[in-house]
Amino acid sequence: MSSKNMTKKQVYTFFERLREQRPKPSTELNFSSSFELLIAVMLSAQATDVSVNKATDKLFPVANTPEQILALGLEGLKSYIKTIGLYNSKAENVIKTCEILIGQHNSQVPDNRKDLEALPGVGRKTANVVLNTAFGQPTMAVDTHIFRLGNRTGLAVGKNVLEVEQRLIKVIPEEFMLDAHHWLILHGRYCCVARKPKCAECVVSDVCNWRDRFDFGAVKPKQPKAED
């Protein structure tokens, strides 16, 4: 069940606390170029960052440009990423994407949503991650962690990922927007987890609107003493 939406003051405090906790948040995917980031994010769909990093740590030293990936060929690429879920379809999308990057974008990763979403295997979420992390644009990629966190805490209540994304863009103060995506993913991944959220050690539990948070250890606010 979703919580009621936070107030402006709650939202500001929420991100102020997350910034204090992680002053310089970043993606946990390993990459050293916009192309490496694009490929890593494409491979991360329905897979963990850890599993993707294990594969790309071997792949990227051998092939980290569109031309080098194509030179590997489909089967060659699969041999590097076969430990990742859905690797067959992902490999096909990566090969097709490399062909388009070479043919239409001078081997460069586009810095706009339209061209990114035209690439095979690149949806809105992947495009948002690349635009934010590689190009410093204030986008919001909503994954399962952020969708859960937005509805649970009342930060951004929505029936689907697009509603949550639009709500987050509307309510997050500009000073937090660039890093907000990373703060929310990390908080959802390590604290506001699905089954047993760690409310007892949560830095924002006092501004969270989830009514069950006290059952998971959130400290109840002190009631003012009654006057004599």
Side-chain angles (χ1 to χ4, degrees), residues 89-101:
S89 59
K90 289 177 180 179
E92 291 177 2
N93 285 333
V94 168
I95 292 292
K96 292 174 185 176
T97 286
C98 289
E99 292 173 342
I100 293 173
L101 292 178

Side-chain angles (χ1 to χ4, degrees), residues 181-224:
H181 163 72
H182 297 305
W183 281 319
L184 294 177
I185 281 186
L186 293 170
H187 192 66
R189 184 175 290 168
Y190 296 113
C191 185
C192 196
V193 295
R195 294 188 177 181
K196 293 183 179 180
K198 301 173 183 177
C199 301
E201 56 193 69
C202 177
V203 297
V204 291
S205 63
D206 60 323
V207 292
C208 172
N209 285 340
W210 189 39
R211 64 182 183 182
D212 293 339
R213 66 191 185 279
F214 302 118
D215 295 335
F216 290 89
V219 178
K220 292 186 177 182
K222 294 181 180 180
Q223 297 296 324

Side-chain angles (χ1 to χ4, degrees), residues 77-94:
L77 176 59
K78 286 182 181 180
S79 70
Y80 283 96
I81 67 170
K82 62 186 178 182
T83 55
I84 300 173
L86 307 175
Y87 76 93
N88 282 310
S89 59
K90 289 177 180 179
E92 291 177 2
N93 285 333
V94 168

Side-chain angles (χ1 to χ4, degrees), residues 37-46 89-90 93-94 97 109-132 139-143 161-162 165 181:
L37 175 67
L38 172 63
I39 300 305
V41 178
M42 289 175 66
L43 296 177
S44 71
Q46 299 182 49
S89 59
K90 289 177 180 179
N93 285 333
V94 168
T97 286
V109 176
D111 62 356
N112 66 86
R113 181 184 303 283
K114 180 182 177 182
D115 288 336
L116 280 171
E117 291 189 12
L119 299 172
V122 177
R124 185 177 183 87
K125 186 181 76 172
T126 296
N128 279 337
V129 173
V130 173
L131 291 172
N132 177 267
T139 57
M140 176 54 62
V142 177
D143 67 352
V161 292
L162 185 57
E165 176 187 331
H181 163 72

